[in-house]
Amino acid sequence: MSSFAYRSGVLHAEEVDLRDLASTVGTPLYVYASAGFEKQYLDMTRVFADVPSLACYAMKANSNQAVVATLARLGAGMDVVSEGELRRARAVGVPPEKIVFSGVGKTQGEINYALDQDILCFNVESEPELEQISALASARGRVARISIRVNPDIDANTHAKISTGTYANKFGIPIEDAPRMYAKAAKLPGLSITGIDVHIGSQITDLAPFDAAAERLAALAVHLMGEGHRLEHLDFGGGLGVTYDPQSNSRPPEPQAYAQTILRHTRKLGLKLIFEHGRLIAANAGVLLTRVIHVKQGAGKTFVVVDAAMNDLIRPTLYEAYHHVVNVIEPAPDAPRETLDIVGPVCESGDYLAQKRTMALPRSGDLLAVLSAGAYGAVQASTYNSRLLVPEVLVKGNRFAVVRPRLSYEDLIGLDRLPDWLS
Ligand code: LLP
């Protein structure tokens, strides 16, 4: 059962009434359900229970420390892409031996910080980065465990902005070049080769690209081991898609089917498997709660103007993403329905959360929940239009905690400084 469901006609997060959260914390507001993260994490780890594996949650999906801590309590590792994420993981006690560091442009400062933390593995994205990690590790008298992210030139059939595994993308090194890179890595000081890494994209809803990537990665592993490299793990990245539209008939593959696809190619190798799923774990564990400001009749169109906007949830604007929107008070089955656009107050035509939705017409003051907003929601929020950064609440059963408060206007404008010629 979903962690967000109607109880006596009112949408709840676990046992907490969303109306209560809206009146206590105000809107717009992200609400997360602990059980949502936990279930998805456990479902994904269970299917790999009979092989050595580590699920490193991709923190970029939702890096609130309360979320990271919820998953860390279950034993999750973390996939980080910046010093900021690494610091968040360490701040809530994620052990360094469960942290992998991905990303195409790690700076010297970030590499040094991660070396000092002695993390599990650097996922290296290029030859210059390999040389740099070697030099920095040697200078600090450390050994960096590394895997090289290969680009298998596979089209993940997803939105162009979240596809990463083809040669048109900036990520990884071409898979044909991997043997040469591994030979080079073996000779460089300060490095210990431990794995191979791949990540082909996000919101992938079909197993074929994973199948092709696993086949290529397994073949590369056999080749590299034949050349004398001692591999310990294969990292398949993340990317398994989720259901955004509960009314659609098509469903992304279940973790079980995904695991079978990967294991078909890798079981015989006996290597540890690492995964970096983010969206799969977080997306459906969160909603964006928003209040209707006005209902505005345009020429032949109805606009529901709400207090959340593109700066709070940019996915519809940036990726034409679909997020299902529901009324917090469950409409009567025979309530008249209308086709409408749900838009925010920001001064851009791209500022919408949903377009052409047929639903019971809300009224001014009503609460709406934008579903599947637990991943890539709050983390991509900004203060555009000098709007206050959206707060976050985590629910656990019948309890809740504000895990990021709404900043004040003093916080928002207080960071600006006037130069001496203007003050
Ligand atoms: N590992 C690496 C190296 C990645 O680049 C990503 C996502 C992941 C793991 C996690 O992928 P996931 O399991 O979440 O699909 N902002 C976009 C998504 C960007 C994904 C970037 N990389 C969105 O809102 O759809």
Side-chain angles (χ1 to χ4, degrees), residues 56 58-61 79 81 102-103 123 125 149 161-162 164 171 197-199 201-204 235 237-241 244 275-281 314-315 318-319 321 323 375-377 380:
C56 290
M59 279 179 59
K60 63 170 77 67
D79 165 43
V81 289
S102 303
N123 292 336
E125 294 250 5
R149 175 168 175 183
K161 286 192 181 130
I162 53 175
T164 54
F171 298 99
D197 173 45
V198 73
H199 171 77
S202 198
Q203 185 55 14
I204 302 171
D235 181 339
L240 190 56
Y244 278 99
F275 300 97
E276 303 169 357
H277 292 289
R279 188 190 310 269
L280 181 77
I281 290 167
I314 199 155
R315 301 197 69 258
L318 198 55
Y319 317 109
H323 283 263
Y376 305 112
Q380 297 198 107

mmCIF file of all heavy atoms in Angstrom, residues 56 58-61 79 81 102-103 123 125 149 161-162 164 171 197-199 201-204 235 237-241 244 275-281 314-315 318-319 321 323 375-377 380, ligand 1:
data_model
loop_
_atom_site.group_PDB
_atom_site.id
_atom_site.type_symbol
_atom_site.label_atom_id
_atom_site.label_comp_id
_atom_site.label_asym_id
_atom_site.label_seq_id
_atom_site.Cartn_x
_atom_site.Cartn_y
_atom_site.Cartn_z
ATOM 1 N N CYS A 56 23.818 1.693 -2.771
ATOM 2 C CA CYS A 56 24.290 3.036 -2.427
ATOM 3 C C CYS A 56 23.252 4.022 -2.954
ATOM 4 O O CYS A 56 23.224 4.322 -4.152
ATOM 5 C CB CYS A 56 25.651 3.301 -3.061
ATOM 6 S SG CYS A 56 26.975 2.343 -2.325
ATOM 7 N N ALA A 58 21.435 7.049 -4.287
ATOM 8 C CA ALA A 58 21.939 8.238 -4.984
ATOM 9 C C ALA A 58 21.381 9.472 -4.295
ATOM 10 O O ALA A 58 20.229 9.865 -4.516
ATOM 11 C CB ALA A 58 21.547 8.209 -6.457
ATOM 12 N N MET A 59 22.197 10.085 -3.476
ATOM 13 C CA MET A 59 21.718 11.174 -2.616
ATOM 14 C C MET A 59 21.202 12.368 -3.389
ATOM 15 O O MET A 59 20.437 13.175 -2.858
ATOM 16 C CB MET A 59 22.841 11.624 -1.679
ATOM 17 C CG MET A 59 22.997 10.736 -0.478
ATOM 18 S SD MET A 59 24.354 11.274 0.585
ATOM 19 C CE MET A 59 23.890 12.941 1.026
ATOM 20 N N LYS A 60 21.618 12.494 -4.643
ATOM 21 C CA LYS A 60 21.151 13.657 -5.414
ATOM 22 C C LYS A 60 19.632 13.674 -5.524
ATOM 23 O O LYS A 60 19.040 14.722 -5.692
ATOM 24 C CB LYS A 60 21.794 13.672 -6.806
ATOM 25 C CG LYS A 60 21.416 12.481 -7.671
ATOM 26 C CD LYS A 60 21.884 12.661 -9.103
ATOM 27 C CE LYS A 60 23.359 12.411 -9.279
ATOM 28 N NZ LYS A 60 23.747 10.982 -9.044
ATOM 29 N N ALA A 61 18.993 12.516 -5.398
ATOM 30 C CA ALA A 61 17.536 12.460 -5.528
ATOM 31 C C ALA A 61 16.846 13.193 -4.380
ATOM 32 O O ALA A 61 15.806 13.843 -4.584
ATOM 33 C CB ALA A 61 17.063 11.014 -5.587
ATOM 34 N N ASP A 79 25.681 7.012 -2.698
ATOM 35 C CA ASP A 79 26.377 7.475 -3.894
ATOM 36 C C ASP A 79 26.344 8.991 -3.828
ATOM 37 O O ASP A 79 25.261 9.581 -3.834
ATOM 38 C CB ASP A 79 25.651 6.960 -5.144
ATOM 39 C CG ASP A 79 26.091 7.677 -6.408
ATOM 40 O OD1 ASP A 79 27.294 7.885 -6.576
ATOM 41 O OD2 ASP A 79 25.221 8.014 -7.230
ATOM 42 N N VAL A 81 27.875 12.899 -5.189
ATOM 43 C CA VAL A 81 28.438 13.549 -6.372
ATOM 44 C C VAL A 81 29.079 14.889 -6.035
ATOM 45 O O VAL A 81 29.384 15.665 -6.940
ATOM 46 C CB VAL A 81 27.386 13.747 -7.483
ATOM 47 C CG1 VAL A 81 27.007 12.433 -8.103
ATOM 48 C CG2 VAL A 81 26.160 14.467 -6.963
ATOM 49 N N SER A 102 30.640 9.581 -7.323
ATOM 50 C CA SER A 102 30.461 9.679 -8.772
ATOM 51 C C SER A 102 30.583 11.134 -9.200
ATOM 52 O O SER A 102 30.640 12.032 -8.363
ATOM 53 C CB SER A 102 29.064 9.171 -9.169
ATOM 54 O OG SER A 102 28.864 7.852 -8.738
ATOM 55 N N GLY A 103 30.550 11.359 -10.506
ATOM 56 C CA GLY A 103 30.511 12.746 -10.995
ATOM 57 C C GLY A 103 31.655 13.042 -11.947
ATOM 58 O O GLY A 103 32.772 12.592 -11.756
ATOM 59 N N ASN A 123 34.363 6.733 -8.482
ATOM 60 C CA ASN A 123 33.955 6.330 -9.827
ATOM 61 C C ASN A 123 34.568 7.332 -10.801
ATOM 62 O O ASN A 123 34.093 8.460 -10.907
ATOM 63 C CB ASN A 123 32.431 6.287 -9.947
ATOM 64 C CG ASN A 123 31.835 5.161 -9.116
ATOM 65 O OD1 ASN A 123 32.509 4.171 -8.814
ATOM 66 N ND2 ASN A 123 30.576 5.301 -8.748
ATOM 67 N N GLU A 125 35.748 9.239 -14.104
ATOM 68 C CA GLU A 125 35.000 9.525 -15.334
ATOM 69 C C GLU A 125 35.872 9.879 -16.529
ATOM 70 O O GLU A 125 35.357 10.087 -17.617
ATOM 71 C CB GLU A 125 34.032 10.685 -15.071
ATOM 72 C CG GLU A 125 32.937 10.351 -14.084
ATOM 73 C CD GLU A 125 31.562 10.253 -14.739
ATOM 74 O OE1 GLU A 125 31.456 10.341 -15.962
ATOM 75 O OE2 GLU A 125 30.596 10.089 -13.967
ATOM 76 N N ARG A 149 34.218 4.567 -14.771
ATOM 77 C CA ARG A 149 32.861 4.573 -15.332
ATOM 78 C C ARG A 149 32.965 4.462 -16.840
ATOM 79 O O ARG A 149 33.549 5.320 -17.496
ATOM 80 C CB ARG A 149 32.129 5.866 -14.962
ATOM 81 C CG ARG A 149 30.769 5.956 -15.634
ATOM 82 C CD ARG A 149 29.940 7.050 -15.058
ATOM 83 N NE ARG A 149 28.681 7.224 -15.752
ATOM 84 C CZ ARG A 149 27.801 8.168 -15.456
ATOM 85 N NH1 ARG A 149 28.044 9.006 -14.467
ATOM 86 N NH2 ARG A 149 26.680 8.277 -16.134
ATOM 87 N N LYS A 161 17.379 14.812 -21.453
ATOM 88 C CA LYS A 161 18.168 15.483 -20.416
ATOM 89 C C LYS A 161 18.586 14.542 -19.293
ATOM 90 O O LYS A 161 19.369 14.936 -18.426
ATOM 91 C CB LYS A 161 17.378 16.667 -19.834
ATOM 92 C CG LYS A 161 17.320 17.838 -20.786
ATOM 93 C CD LYS A 161 16.799 19.091 -20.119
ATOM 94 C CE LYS A 161 16.749 20.225 -21.121
ATOM 95 N NZ LYS A 161 15.479 20.912 -21.142
ATOM 96 N N ILE A 162 18.050 13.332 -19.263
ATOM 97 C CA ILE A 162 18.450 12.396 -18.205
ATOM 98 C C ILE A 162 18.961 11.082 -18.776
ATOM 99 O O ILE A 162 18.978 10.059 -18.109
ATOM 100 C CB ILE A 162 17.327 12.171 -17.160
ATOM 101 C CG1 ILE A 162 16.010 11.767 -17.820
ATOM 102 C CG2 ILE A 162 17.127 13.403 -16.312
ATOM 103 C CD1 ILE A 162 14.899 11.425 -16.827
ATOM 104 N N THR A 164 22.292 9.169 -20.132
ATOM 105 C CA THR A 164 23.718 9.406 -19.876
ATOM 106 C C THR A 164 24.636 8.410 -20.566
ATOM 107 O O THR A 164 25.848 8.574 -20.540
ATOM 108 C CB THR A 164 24.017 9.324 -18.362
ATOM 109 O OG1 THR A 164 23.521 8.065 -17.873
ATOM 110 C CG2 THR A 164 23.360 10.433 -17.602
ATOM 111 N N PHE A 171 29.391 11.602 -20.131
ATOM 112 C CA PHE A 171 29.725 10.735 -19.008
ATOM 113 C C PHE A 171 30.607 9.546 -19.380
ATOM 114 O O PHE A 171 30.439 8.932 -20.433
ATOM 115 C CB PHE A 171 28.443 10.206 -18.353
ATOM 116 C CG PHE A 171 27.607 11.314 -17.800
ATOM 117 C CD1 PHE A 171 26.532 11.801 -18.507
ATOM 118 C CD2 PHE A 171 27.932 11.898 -16.586
ATOM 119 C CE1 PHE A 171 25.770 12.846 -18.008
ATOM 120 C CE2 PHE A 171 27.178 12.943 -16.079
ATOM 121 C CZ PHE A 171 26.093 13.416 -16.793
ATOM 122 N N ASP A 197 32.282 0.611 -13.350
ATOM 123 C CA ASP A 197 31.074 1.374 -13.045
ATOM 124 C C ASP A 197 30.360 1.758 -14.338
ATOM 125 O O ASP A 197 31.004 2.029 -15.357
ATOM 126 C CB ASP A 197 31.517 2.641 -12.282
ATOM 127 C CG ASP A 197 30.386 3.629 -12.034
ATOM 128 O OD1 ASP A 197 29.294 3.186 -11.627
ATOM 129 O OD2 ASP A 197 30.604 4.832 -12.230
ATOM 130 N N VAL A 198 29.039 1.773 -14.276
ATOM 131 C CA VAL A 198 28.253 2.238 -15.417
ATOM 132 C C VAL A 198 26.979 2.874 -14.882
ATOM 133 O O VAL A 198 26.503 2.513 -13.795
ATOM 134 C CB VAL A 198 27.921 1.055 -16.381
ATOM 135 C CG1 VAL A 198 26.872 0.118 -15.792
ATOM 136 C CG2 VAL A 198 27.462 1.546 -17.745
ATOM 137 N N HIS A 199 26.458 3.860 -15.585
ATOM 138 C CA HIS A 199 25.129 4.422 -15.264
ATOM 139 C C HIS A 199 24.596 4.968 -16.580
ATOM 140 O O HIS A 199 25.185 5.884 -17.149
ATOM 141 C CB HIS A 199 25.225 5.528 -14.206
ATOM 142 C CG HIS A 199 23.932 6.270 -14.004
ATOM 143 N ND1 HIS A 199 22.884 5.743 -13.275
ATOM 144 C CD2 HIS A 199 23.500 7.464 -14.477
ATOM 145 C CE1 HIS A 199 21.870 6.602 -13.302
ATOM 146 N NE2 HIS A 199 22.217 7.651 -14.029
ATOM 147 N N GLY A 201 21.397 6.160 -17.386
ATOM 148 C CA GLY A 201 20.334 7.167 -17.456
ATOM 149 C C GLY A 201 19.351 6.977 -16.322
ATOM 150 O O GLY A 201 19.552 6.148 -15.437
ATOM 151 N N SER A 202 18.306 7.768 -16.367
ATOM 152 C CA SER A 202 17.358 7.812 -15.259
ATOM 153 C C SER A 202 15.939 7.645 -15.793
ATOM 154 O O SER A 202 15.681 7.919 -16.966
ATOM 155 C CB SER A 202 17.522 9.176 -14.576
ATOM 156 O OG SER A 202 16.980 9.181 -13.293
ATOM 157 N N GLN A 203 15.032 7.239 -14.905
ATOM 158 C CA GLN A 203 13.628 6.992 -15.284
ATOM 159 C C GLN A 203 13.575 6.060 -16.508
ATOM 160 O O GLN A 203 12.904 6.332 -17.506
ATOM 161 C CB GLN A 203 12.871 8.313 -15.495
ATOM 162 C CG GLN A 203 11.363 8.197 -15.780
ATOM 163 C CD GLN A 203 10.597 7.408 -14.713
ATOM 164 O OE1 GLN A 203 11.087 7.152 -13.628
ATOM 165 N NE2 GLN A 203 9.388 6.978 -15.007
ATOM 166 N N ILE A 204 14.293 4.950 -16.390
ATOM 167 C CA ILE A 204 14.305 3.937 -17.455
ATOM 168 C C ILE A 204 13.170 2.952 -17.155
ATOM 169 O O ILE A 204 13.071 2.425 -16.049
ATOM 170 C CB ILE A 204 15.667 3.217 -17.507
ATOM 171 C CG1 ILE A 204 16.780 4.256 -17.743
ATOM 172 C CG2 ILE A 204 15.677 2.138 -18.584
ATOM 173 C CD1 ILE A 204 18.182 3.711 -17.597
ATOM 174 N N ASP A 235 29.543 -1.884 -10.486
ATOM 175 C CA ASP A 235 28.568 -0.881 -10.057
ATOM 176 C C ASP A 235 27.670 -0.564 -11.258
ATOM 177 O O ASP A 235 28.159 -0.081 -12.283
ATOM 178 C CB ASP A 235 29.328 0.364 -9.569
ATOM 179 C CG ASP A 235 28.405 1.478 -9.065
ATOM 180 O OD1 ASP A 235 27.207 1.476 -9.440
ATOM 181 O OD2 ASP A 235 28.876 2.357 -8.334
ATOM 182 N N GLY A 237 25.158 1.576 -11.314
ATOM 183 C CA GLY A 237 24.486 2.878 -11.259
ATOM 184 C C GLY A 237 23.045 2.718 -10.810
ATOM 185 O O GLY A 237 22.671 1.731 -10.167
ATOM 186 N N GLY A 238 22.232 3.701 -11.177
ATOM 187 C CA GLY A 238 20.813 3.641 -10.799
ATOM 188 C C GLY A 238 19.968 3.604 -12.048
ATOM 189 O O GLY A 238 20.312 2.950 -13.021
ATOM 190 N N GLY A 239 18.852 4.318 -12.020
ATOM 191 C CA GLY A 239 18.108 4.535 -13.253
ATOM 192 C C GLY A 239 16.782 3.829 -13.388
ATOM 193 O O GLY A 239 16.017 4.153 -14.307
ATOM 194 N N LEU A 240 16.486 2.862 -12.512
ATOM 195 C CA LEU A 240 15.200 2.162 -12.680
ATOM 196 C C LEU A 240 14.054 3.153 -12.437
ATOM 197 O O LEU A 240 14.043 3.879 -11.443
ATOM 198 C CB LEU A 240 15.122 0.972 -11.726
ATOM 199 C CG LEU A 240 13.957 0.016 -11.947
ATOM 200 C CD1 LEU A 240 13.924 -0.530 -13.379
ATOM 201 C CD2 LEU A 240 14.017 -1.148 -10.962
ATOM 202 N N GLY A 241 13.112 3.181 -13.369
ATOM 203 C CA GLY A 241 12.046 4.184 -13.344
ATOM 204 C C GLY A 241 10.940 3.859 -12.352
ATOM 205 O O GLY A 241 10.863 2.751 -11.809
ATOM 206 N N TYR A 244 4.774 7.453 -12.388
ATOM 207 C CA TYR A 244 4.360 8.828 -12.083
ATOM 208 C C TYR A 244 2.864 8.997 -12.298
ATOM 209 O O TYR A 244 2.241 9.838 -11.682
ATOM 210 C CB TYR A 244 5.123 9.831 -12.961
ATOM 211 C CG TYR A 244 6.508 10.151 -12.428
ATOM 212 C CD1 TYR A 244 7.643 9.539 -12.946
ATOM 213 C CD2 TYR A 244 6.672 11.044 -11.382
ATOM 214 C CE1 TYR A 244 8.902 9.822 -12.449
ATOM 215 C CE2 TYR A 244 7.930 11.335 -10.867
ATOM 216 C CZ TYR A 244 9.036 10.720 -11.408
ATOM 217 O OH TYR A 244 10.280 10.997 -10.898
ATOM 218 N N PHE A 275 24.649 -0.818 -6.470
ATOM 219 C CA PHE A 275 23.594 -0.100 -7.193
ATOM 220 C C PHE A 275 23.482 1.300 -6.630
ATOM 221 O O PHE A 275 23.750 1.524 -5.443
ATOM 222 C CB PHE A 275 22.254 -0.841 -7.070
ATOM 223 C CG PHE A 275 22.343 -2.216 -7.645
ATOM 224 C CD1 PHE A 275 22.582 -3.313 -6.827
ATOM 225 C CD2 PHE A 275 22.243 -2.410 -9.012
ATOM 226 C CE1 PHE A 275 22.719 -4.572 -7.371
ATOM 227 C CE2 PHE A 275 22.376 -3.667 -9.565
ATOM 228 C CZ PHE A 275 22.617 -4.759 -8.743
ATOM 229 N N GLU A 276 23.081 2.216 -7.491
ATOM 230 C CA GLU A 276 22.977 3.633 -7.069
ATOM 231 C C GLU A 276 21.589 4.178 -7.394
ATOM 232 O O GLU A 276 21.462 5.229 -8.030
ATOM 233 C CB GLU A 276 24.027 4.473 -7.811
ATOM 234 C CG GLU A 276 25.462 4.021 -7.643
ATOM 235 C CD GLU A 276 26.417 4.722 -8.612
ATOM 236 O OE1 GLU A 276 25.960 5.522 -9.453
ATOM 237 O OE2 GLU A 276 27.620 4.436 -8.535
ATOM 238 N N HIS A 277 20.540 3.459 -6.991
ATOM 239 C CA HIS A 277 19.209 3.965 -7.305
ATOM 240 C C HIS A 277 18.856 5.140 -6.394
ATOM 241 O O HIS A 277 19.114 5.108 -5.196
ATOM 242 C CB HIS A 277 18.168 2.851 -7.170
ATOM 243 C CG HIS A 277 18.353 1.804 -8.217
ATOM 244 N ND1 HIS A 277 18.055 2.036 -9.533
ATOM 245 C CD2 HIS A 277 18.867 0.565 -8.150
ATOM 246 C CE1 HIS A 277 18.362 0.962 -10.242
ATOM 247 N NE2 HIS A 277 18.867 0.058 -9.433
ATOM 248 N N GLY A 278 18.264 6.138 -6.995
ATOM 249 C CA GLY A 278 17.832 7.307 -6.237
ATOM 250 C C GLY A 278 16.327 7.469 -6.353
ATOM 251 O O GLY A 278 15.571 7.331 -5.392
ATOM 252 N N ARG A 279 15.883 7.707 -7.586
ATOM 253 C CA ARG A 279 14.457 7.943 -7.836
ATOM 254 C C ARG A 279 13.598 6.787 -7.329
ATOM 255 O O ARG A 279 12.555 6.996 -6.710
ATOM 256 C CB ARG A 279 14.256 8.097 -9.342
ATOM 257 C CG ARG A 279 12.854 8.528 -9.748
ATOM 258 C CD ARG A 279 12.665 8.416 -11.245
ATOM 259 N NE ARG A 279 13.698 9.029 -12.019
ATOM 260 C CZ ARG A 279 13.694 10.284 -12.453
ATOM 261 N NH1 ARG A 279 12.674 11.068 -12.184
ATOM 262 N NH2 ARG A 279 14.692 10.766 -13.167
ATOM 263 N N LEU A 280 14.041 5.575 -7.603
ATOM 264 C CA LEU A 280 13.262 4.395 -7.234
ATOM 265 C C LEU A 280 12.955 4.387 -5.734
ATOM 266 O O LEU A 280 11.888 3.964 -5.296
ATOM 267 C CB LEU A 280 14.067 3.141 -7.606
ATOM 268 C CG LEU A 280 13.385 1.830 -7.320
ATOM 269 C CD1 LEU A 280 12.342 1.556 -8.375
ATOM 270 C CD2 LEU A 280 14.386 0.691 -7.263
ATOM 271 N N ILE A 281 13.917 4.879 -4.965
ATOM 272 C CA ILE A 281 13.758 4.834 -3.509
ATOM 273 C C ILE A 281 12.963 6.037 -3.004
ATOM 274 O O ILE A 281 12.169 5.922 -2.077
ATOM 275 C CB ILE A 281 15.158 4.739 -2.865
ATOM 276 C CG1 ILE A 281 15.718 3.343 -3.176
ATOM 277 C CG2 ILE A 281 15.122 5.000 -1.366
ATOM 278 C CD1 ILE A 281 17.159 3.154 -2.914
ATOM 279 N N ILE A 314 10.736 21.796 -10.265
ATOM 280 C CA ILE A 314 11.035 22.238 -11.634
ATOM 281 C C ILE A 314 10.850 21.128 -12.667
ATOM 282 O O ILE A 314 10.937 21.362 -13.878
ATOM 283 C CB ILE A 314 12.456 22.836 -11.724
ATOM 284 C CG1 ILE A 314 12.563 23.691 -12.993
ATOM 285 C CG2 ILE A 314 13.526 21.766 -11.670
ATOM 286 C CD1 ILE A 314 13.569 24.758 -12.967
ATOM 287 N N ARG A 315 10.547 19.927 -12.221
ATOM 288 C CA ARG A 315 10.514 18.789 -13.153
ATOM 289 C C ARG A 315 9.513 18.961 -14.306
ATOM 290 O O ARG A 315 9.849 18.658 -15.447
ATOM 291 C CB ARG A 315 10.243 17.472 -12.404
ATOM 292 C CG ARG A 315 11.297 17.159 -11.322
ATOM 293 C CD ARG A 315 11.276 15.707 -10.870
ATOM 294 N NE ARG A 315 11.742 14.843 -11.927
ATOM 295 C CZ ARG A 315 10.973 14.129 -12.699
ATOM 296 N NH1 ARG A 315 9.668 14.124 -12.505
ATOM 297 N NH2 ARG A 315 11.479 13.405 -13.666
ATOM 298 N N LEU A 318 11.211 21.511 -16.673
ATOM 299 C CA LEU A 318 12.510 21.145 -17.242
ATOM 300 C C LEU A 318 12.463 19.892 -18.102
ATOM 301 O O LEU A 318 13.175 19.785 -19.094
ATOM 302 C CB LEU A 318 13.508 20.950 -16.078
ATOM 303 C CG LEU A 318 14.988 20.966 -16.373
ATOM 304 C CD1 LEU A 318 15.409 22.239 -17.103
ATOM 305 C CD2 LEU A 318 15.771 20.877 -15.057
ATOM 306 N N TYR A 319 11.673 18.929 -17.702
ATOM 307 C CA TYR A 319 11.663 17.639 -18.422
ATOM 308 C C TYR A 319 10.288 17.281 -18.975
ATOM 309 O O TYR A 319 10.054 16.112 -19.300
ATOM 310 C CB TYR A 319 12.082 16.490 -17.497
ATOM 311 C CG TYR A 319 13.257 16.764 -16.596
ATOM 312 C CD1 TYR A 319 13.068 16.924 -15.225
ATOM 313 C CD2 TYR A 319 14.558 16.837 -17.101
ATOM 314 C CE1 TYR A 319 14.140 17.153 -14.383
ATOM 315 C CE2 TYR A 319 15.630 17.070 -16.257
ATOM 316 C CZ TYR A 319 15.409 17.230 -14.899
ATOM 317 O OH TYR A 319 16.469 17.457 -14.057
ATOM 318 N N ALA A 321 7.880 16.709 -17.313
ATOM 319 C CA ALA A 321 7.553 15.557 -16.473
ATOM 320 C C ALA A 321 6.090 15.597 -16.034
ATOM 321 O O ALA A 321 5.543 16.667 -15.754
ATOM 322 C CB ALA A 321 8.450 15.545 -15.246
ATOM 323 N N HIS A 323 3.476 14.824 -13.196
ATOM 324 C CA HIS A 323 3.244 14.521 -11.777
ATOM 325 C C HIS A 323 1.740 14.493 -11.561
ATOM 326 O O HIS A 323 1.045 15.468 -11.898
ATOM 327 C CB HIS A 323 3.877 15.588 -10.876
ATOM 328 C CG HIS A 323 5.355 15.440 -10.735
ATOM 329 N ND1 HIS A 323 5.946 14.796 -9.678
ATOM 330 C CD2 HIS A 323 6.361 15.821 -11.542
ATOM 331 C CE1 HIS A 323 7.258 14.788 -9.839
ATOM 332 N NE2 HIS A 323 7.545 15.411 -10.973
ATOM 333 N N ALA A 375 11.635 12.565 -5.086
ATOM 334 C CA ALA A 375 12.964 12.561 -5.732
ATOM 335 C C ALA A 375 13.071 13.733 -6.687
ATOM 336 O O ALA A 375 12.139 13.996 -7.449
ATOM 337 C CB ALA A 375 13.179 11.260 -6.493
ATOM 338 N N TYR A 376 14.205 14.404 -6.662
ATOM 339 C CA TYR A 376 14.489 15.527 -7.572
ATOM 340 C C TYR A 376 13.446 16.639 -7.434
ATOM 341 O O TYR A 376 13.153 17.337 -8.396
ATOM 342 C CB TYR A 376 14.610 15.025 -9.020
ATOM 343 C CG TYR A 376 15.636 13.920 -9.173
ATOM 344 C CD1 TYR A 376 15.265 12.610 -9.492
ATOM 345 C CD2 TYR A 376 16.982 14.173 -8.947
ATOM 346 C CE1 TYR A 376 16.209 11.603 -9.597
ATOM 347 C CE2 TYR A 376 17.929 13.159 -9.054
ATOM 348 C CZ TYR A 376 17.535 11.886 -9.381
ATOM 349 O OH TYR A 376 18.473 10.882 -9.483
ATOM 350 N N GLY A 377 12.880 16.765 -6.247
ATOM 351 C CA GLY A 377 11.936 17.832 -5.971
ATOM 352 C C GLY A 377 12.640 18.928 -5.177
ATOM 353 O O GLY A 377 13.208 19.869 -5.753
ATOM 354 N N GLN A 380 16.079 20.241 -6.106
ATOM 355 C CA GLN A 380 16.246 21.108 -7.274
ATOM 356 C C GLN A 380 15.509 22.442 -7.081
ATOM 357 O O GLN A 380 15.350 23.206 -8.033
ATOM 358 C CB GLN A 380 15.735 20.412 -8.542
ATOM 359 C CG GLN A 380 16.505 19.143 -8.894
ATOM 360 C CD GLN A 380 16.294 18.699 -10.345
ATOM 361 O OE1 GLN A 380 17.170 18.823 -11.180
ATOM 362 N NE2 GLN A 380 15.114 18.176 -10.641
HETATM 363 N N1 LLP B 1 24.242 7.337 -10.364
HETATM 364 C C1 LLP B 1 24.655 8.329 -11.176
HETATM 365 C C2 LLP B 1 26.052 8.393 -11.559
HETATM 366 C C3 LLP B 1 23.730 9.289 -11.622
HETATM 367 O O1 LLP B 1 24.150 10.262 -12.425
HETATM 368 C C4 LLP B 1 22.380 9.212 -11.215
HETATM 369 C C5 LLP B 1 21.399 10.204 -11.657
HETATM 370 C C6 LLP B 1 22.008 8.164 -10.365
HETATM 371 C C7 LLP B 1 22.955 7.234 -9.964
HETATM 372 C C8 LLP B 1 20.598 7.995 -9.864
HETATM 373 O O2 LLP B 1 19.691 7.788 -10.882
HETATM 374 P P1 LLP B 1 18.182 7.392 -10.534
HETATM 375 O O3 LLP B 1 18.196 6.031 -9.881
HETATM 376 O O4 LLP B 1 17.669 8.418 -9.597
HETATM 377 O O5 LLP B 1 17.502 7.402 -11.828
HETATM 378 N N2 LLP B 1 16.875 15.595 -12.151
HETATM 379 C C9 LLP B 1 16.427 14.539 -13.037
HETATM 380 C C10 LLP B 1 17.172 13.242 -12.813
HETATM 381 C C11 LLP B 1 18.678 13.384 -12.969
HETATM 382 C C12 LLP B 1 19.414 12.094 -12.730
HETATM 383 C C13 LLP B 1 20.874 12.321 -12.758
HETATM 384 N N3 LLP B 1 21.682 11.199 -12.409
HETATM 385 C C14 LLP B 1 14.909 14.351 -12.876
HETATM 386 O O6 LLP B 1 14.297 15.077 -12.100
HETATM 387 O O7 LLP B 1 14.324 13.520 -13.552
#
